[in-house]
Amino acid sequence: MNLKLATVFANMAELSKQKDGGAKTVIDFTRAARSIRDFPGNLEDSYNNGTLKCLPGIIPEMYDYLSEYFETGKIRFYEELKGDYSEELIKFIRISGLGKKRIFAIYEILGAKDIADLKEKISRKNSFKNILKSPKLEKDLLTKTHLERLVHSIDYYESTAALYPKGYIDFFINALVSRFKDIKDVHRVTVTGSLRRRKSFVSDIDLLVMTKSNLKGFDFAGSELFLKEVAKLPFIKTTGKRDLKHLTLSERFETTYGIDIEVIVSSGPRWAADLFYTTGSKKHVRRIEELALKSDVFTGAAGLSIDSIYRQDNPMRDIISIFTEKYFNFPEKTYPGSATPGMKNYEEGQDYSDCIIYESLGLEYVPPELREDRGEIELAKRSALPVLVKPGDIKGDLHVHSFWSDGLIEVEDIKKSCKEMGYEYLALSDHSVSNTYGNGLDDKKMLEKIKYVKSIRKNIRDFKLLVGAEIDIRGVSLLDYDESIILKTDIALASMHSNYLNTIEENTARIIGALQNPLIDAIAHPTGLVFGARAPYVFDMERIFGAAVKYDKALEINSYLLRLDINDGHAADFKKMGGKVVINTDSHRPSNLAMMYLGVEVARRAGLERDDVINTRSFKELIAWKKNRHRY
């Protein structure tokens, strides 16, 4: 419900841009969309109990639209705005950044019916040439770069169509797991699959369940009865495919949350193996299987010879399962070795049952975040896995938007958050003037903000409130603020919020130009990605990484649940080149300040350690980094 309504309001913001609805109208719709999306509760319940109108960002006009939706099931103004065009098409206009006029022109010239048809026709030989030479095309409306952006956006749209942000699932996952634990026969429930590996965007929720009837062995009848109880839970809409294999019974359920759940019923003796296999990834599992195949510890426990193993259809899971059955006595966990708080990368409250598999192969335990076959097994052989950065290592947030631009965060919200998070510092980094729809600050307003921050921080003792700025990159070596303004800030971030339609060379040159500026500290959300709303810009990331290292600048891992930019793949590559990141929340609402952990999860999946992240440094160390940074 929340994501669906947030998309409607974001679409109204986008369509208002196209109709020249005015900056204030766009800002109002955008603020409402973000407030709806970031609301952790049930929006309809909030409407019914009268608290929705008090939600920050929901001004009376926006509340009227919400009220109309809950009373009638639609918003008449939205229906008029989008006309005969589908939700899919409106969403794609936002993702591409090409604007309604260009997209509609391409649709008309190609005679496309939907996104799938558009992809097929744009991929035909000479399609670019035919579009650009069409007599139907308005002069100077489209270029080859626009069409390349279109193809890039279609690929992104398709790659994310079935995914959900992990941060959205985190709003309700604990409550969901609690409902499972309330079922009488349940002994244990753990989140597994992509969520256990803490992927930023996932396709479903995987739950591994131990029932009391399965403690000593697998009870098929008891497991079936349990799944019937699951089907009665209030958030289950329909039941799907049921599967019995490897002495586990699984079933897929459609939920009212909009995302499917797969419930895998395991047994005590096979719990460790099932946790390992359901966690994945498939590539990592296959590499571990290859090691187990060569290990007498595993093949001997299974009582199998190498020849007999190769004759079986699916031998490796059985070998690992038989081994864990012999040495893993659930729930007492009397197996060789165990996970302890002193273990590298130990986290309180996590299930380490599958630790036995790694220990028995002579490997260091591989945290779920690293199980992607990116070299982690080779490191585990040498006990050389990184000590991954933790949320508690973060000393401050350098990218927070206040009421000065498009944020709805007050000083009291900041004080409360800094106390809860144990921060030493926090920077108010508001938008600059070019970001019209972000209510960006011109020079005059920026100077007023600087004066304001300096006046109120005199009375703050528990942490350092810093003057920050998120400065738009308007061109190559061209920023919104000149040196006289930037010198008055404590932290200067540079970013791009438009320019979707530039070439890879132009975009790369803009970022590198900002990195060369000695007054810029970091690049915020470098690829410009907004999940479900904007495909990433095109860049030469290797050149950007090289420039960031050369000029000793940080690249941001943006922790907002729809950004998570740079991603774990980019962060891992950047680390290999010697780069440093800064993990920030890009908060616009008080609740966003708690999203820091999502960015830390990206860093952990990239194998980043404490020293790879500049805001794990104390305030004194942070300032020293700024002062000692190489100047070119």
Side-chain angles (χ1 to χ4, degrees):
M1 168 69 75
N2 294 21
L3 281 181
K4 179 181 177 181
L5 265 174
T7 298
V8 168
F9 276 77
N11 285 349
M12 287 196 283
E14 180 64 31
L15 292 170
S16 294
K17 288 181 191 177
Q18 309 298 330
K19 284 184 173 289
D20 297 322
K24 184 182 183 304
T25 299
V26 175
I27 291 169
D28 288 344
F29 279 127
T30 302
R31 279 180 167 169
R34 187 154 191 155
S35 294
I36 292 166
R37 183 171 56 240
D38 297 350
F39 183 61
N42 184 295
L43 209 64
E44 188 169 9
D45 288 346
S46 182
Y47 171 72
N48 290 332
N49 63 31
T51 58
L52 181 58
K53 62 178 63 178
C54 302
L55 190 66
I58 305 299
I59 61 174
E61 184 180 358
M62 299 298 113
Y63 179 78
D64 289 343
Y65 288 131
L66 286 168
S67 178
E68 181 184 358
Y69 179 84
F70 287 121
E71 297 299 329
T72 69
K74 62 182 181 180
I75 299 173
R76 185 163 52 88
F77 178 69
Y78 178 49
E79 300 301 320
E80 293 171 355
L81 268 180
K82 69 186 183 75
D84 297 328
Y85 299 103
S86 67
E87 298 271 356
E88 178 189 57
L89 179 57
I90 301 302
K91 182 178 179 180
F92 183 69
I93 291 171
R94 290 171 52 215
I95 285 174
S96 69
L98 289 167
K100 185 171 69 173
K101 191 173 183 180
R102 290 190 181 97
I103 293 292
F104 288 174
I106 295 168
Y107 260 72
E108 183 181 357
I109 292 168
L110 293 178
K113 299 175 183 177
D114 51 33
I115 301 295
D117 191 32
L118 176 64
K119 179 180 180 180
E120 191 277 324
K121 289 177 176 176
I122 199 72
S123 62
R124 292 176 183 174
K125 186 177 181 180
N126 296 324
S127 63
F128 281 22
K129 181 179 178 181
N130 293 336
I131 292 170
L132 295 175
K133 289 190 174 182
S134 171
K136 297 180 181 179
L137 183 63
E138 181 182 319
K139 185 180 179 182
D140 299 328
L141 181 63
L142 288 170
T143 66
K144 181 183 177 184
T145 300
H146 294 142
L147 297 178
E148 289 172 343
R149 172 71 184 180
L150 177 75
V151 172
H152 173 65
S153 299
I154 292 173
D155 290 341
Y156 171 76
Y157 179 83
E158 289 191 334
S159 71
T160 60
L163 298 180
Y164 295 82
K166 178 183 179 293
Y168 163 69
I169 296 169
D170 287 346
F171 285 157
F172 58 81
I173 189 66
N174 288 335
L176 185 148
V177 170
S178 293
R179 295 304 297 263
F180 272 81
K181 289 180 178 178
D182 289 340
I183 297 175
K184 188 176 180 180
D185 192 37
V186 169
H187 180 79
R188 189 169 193 171
V189 182
T190 191
V191 175
T192 188
S194 298
L195 282 176
R196 189 178 182 223
R197 300 202 316 277
R198 293 170 175 166
K199 292 195 71 172
S200 299
F201 306 102
V202 302
S203 59
D204 62 5
I205 297 170
D206 296 308
L207 296 180
L208 188 65
V209 181
M210 168 82 63
T211 59
K212 294 173 184 175
S213 59
N214 282 356
L215 278 174
K216 301 299 182 182
F218 188 75
D219 176 3
F220 179 77
S223 299
E224 277 200 316
L225 287 174
F226 164 72
L227 289 175
K228 288 180 180 179
E229 290 300 309
V230 172
K232 298 176 184 177
L233 291 172
F235 49 80
I236 299 297
K237 290 176 66 176
T238 60
T239 59
K241 180 183 177 184
R242 183 175 292 185
D243 194 12
L244 174 65
K245 59 183 178 182
H246 307 298
L247 288 182
T248 64
L249 184 64
S250 64
E251 187 164 359
R252 200 167 185 86
F253 297 90
E254 183 183 356
T255 75
T256 57
Y257 295 111
I259 185 170
D260 288 356
I261 299 175
E262 182 166 6
V263 180
I264 306 117
V265 187
S266 180
S267 62
R270 300 178 76 96
W271 179 264
D274 289 339
L275 180 62
F276 167 74
Y277 273 98
T278 57
T279 297
S281 68
K282 290 180 180 179
K283 289 183 178 180
H284 176 87
V285 166
R286 181 55 57 88
R287 291 292 310 282
I288 294 295
E289 285 181 335
E290 290 170 357
L291 293 178
L293 183 61
K294 300 173 184 176
S295 168
D296 291 340
V297 174
F298 281 83
T299 56
L304 298 171
S305 67
I306 294 295
D307 289 341
S308 65
I309 289 169
Y310 279 119
R311 286 198 297 270
Q312 295 185 59
D313 293 331
N314 192 4
M316 289 312 306
R317 182 159 184 157
D318 290 332
I319 290 173
I320 290 176
S321 296
I322 291 169
F323 171 78
T324 57
E325 282 182 39
K326 286 195 173 187
Y327 295 102
F328 184 85
N329 182 14
F330 189 92
E332 289 80 11
K333 296 186 180 178
T334 55
Y335 58 85
S338 62
T340 64
M343 183 180 75
K344 187 191 294 185
N345 294 314
Y346 180 86
E347 290 183 274
E348 190 69 36
Q350 299 301 310
D351 192 328
Y352 290 97
S353 301
D354 53 1
C355 184
I356 184 177
I357 295 168
Y358 296 93
E359 289 178 348
S360 300
L361 287 170
L363 299 175
E364 185 177 12
Y365 177 74
V366 180
E369 298 99 315
L370 296 181
R371 300 182 193 179
E372 300 292 345
D373 191 24
R374 296 176 180 167
E376 71 277 4
I377 293 174
E378 287 69 25
L379 292 173
K381 288 178 181 178
R382 298 185 280 112
S383 296
L385 286 168
V387 179
L388 301 178
V389 63
K390 304 184 296 295
D393 293 330
I394 303 297
K395 301 299 184 187
D397 192 342
L398 300 178
H399 189 173
V400 174
H401 293 271
S402 72
F403 59 85
W404 282 93
S405 59
D406 60 343
L408 295 174
I409 298 176
E410 301 291 341
V411 174
E412 290 306 313
D413 299 319
I414 292 168
K415 288 180 179 179
K416 180 181 177 183
S417 178
C418 285
K419 183 176 181 179
E420 291 174 351
M421 307 285 275
Y423 286 165
E424 291 186 26
Y425 47 86
L426 183 143
L428 297 182
S429 299
D430 289 290
H431 293 298
S432 61
V433 65
S434 289
N435 194 333
T436 304
Y437 299 122
N439 199 28
L441 282 62
D442 59 18
D443 287 8
K444 181 182 177 183
K445 285 189 176 180
M446 183 60 185
L447 290 172
E448 290 174 1
K449 175 198 159 179
I450 292 170
K451 183 178 179 180
Y452 167 80
V453 173
K454 288 184 176 180
S455 68
I456 64 170
R457 69 184 181 188
K458 294 176 183 177
N459 300 317
I460 298 175
R461 298 285 181 265
D462 297 331
F463 66 96
K464 302 288 186 181
L465 184 63
L466 307 180
V467 175
E470 185 184 2
I471 307 166
D472 261 52
I473 304 170
R474 291 163 50 195
V476 178
S477 301
L478 182 62
L479 303 175
D480 256 356
Y481 296 141
D482 63 24
E483 182 178 297
S484 65
I485 296 287
I486 302 175
L487 280 169
K488 297 180 187 297
T489 67
D490 300 307
I491 290 292
L493 311 175
S495 65
M496 295 192 349
H497 288 92
S498 55
N499 313 308
Y500 321 114
L501 311 182
N502 290 339
T503 65
I504 186 170
E505 292 80 12
E506 290 170 327
N507 283 335
T508 302
R510 288 189 178 204
I511 294 292
I512 290 177
L515 289 167
Q516 289 171 332
N517 188 316
L519 301 180
I520 294 299
D521 299 306
I523 302 296
H525 46 70
T527 75
L529 167 73
V530 181
F531 178 84
R534 185 187 305 140
Y537 307 125
V538 287
F539 292 109
D540 183 335
M541 295 304 291
E542 187 172 351
R543 285 182 60 204
I544 289 172
F545 293 162
V549 172
K550 178 179 179 180
Y551 300 111
D552 198 11
K553 304 297 177 70
L555 298 182
E556 183 181 67
I557 295 178
N558 189 294
S559 296
Y560 183 60
L561 81 167
L562 295 190
R563 282 197 181 272
L564 301 170
D565 173 22
I566 50 179
N567 62 33
D568 55 287
H570 283 148
D573 291 341
F574 188 40
K575 173 185 168 74
K576 289 176 184 176
M577 295 180 68
K580 303 291 184 184
V581 304
V582 56
I583 306 175
N584 295 319
T585 62
D586 194 2
S587 290
H588 288 69
R589 303 289 182 277
S591 62
N592 298 161
L593 293 163
M595 291 184 183
M596 181 64 77
Y597 78 96
L598 292 170
V600 173
E601 289 177 350
V602 173
R604 289 173 66 87
R605 283 180 52 79
L608 269 56
E609 300 181 279
R610 188 180 184 278
D611 288 346
D612 298 317
V613 183
I614 66 165
N615 55 323
T616 61
R617 306 179 186 196
S618 68
F619 177 69
K620 287 184 178 180
E621 291 169 335
L622 180 71
I623 297 304
W625 169 73
K626 281 177 59 72
K627 288 182 177 179
N628 297 331
R629 196 167 58 216
H630 298 300
R631 304 295 185 182
Y632 294 88

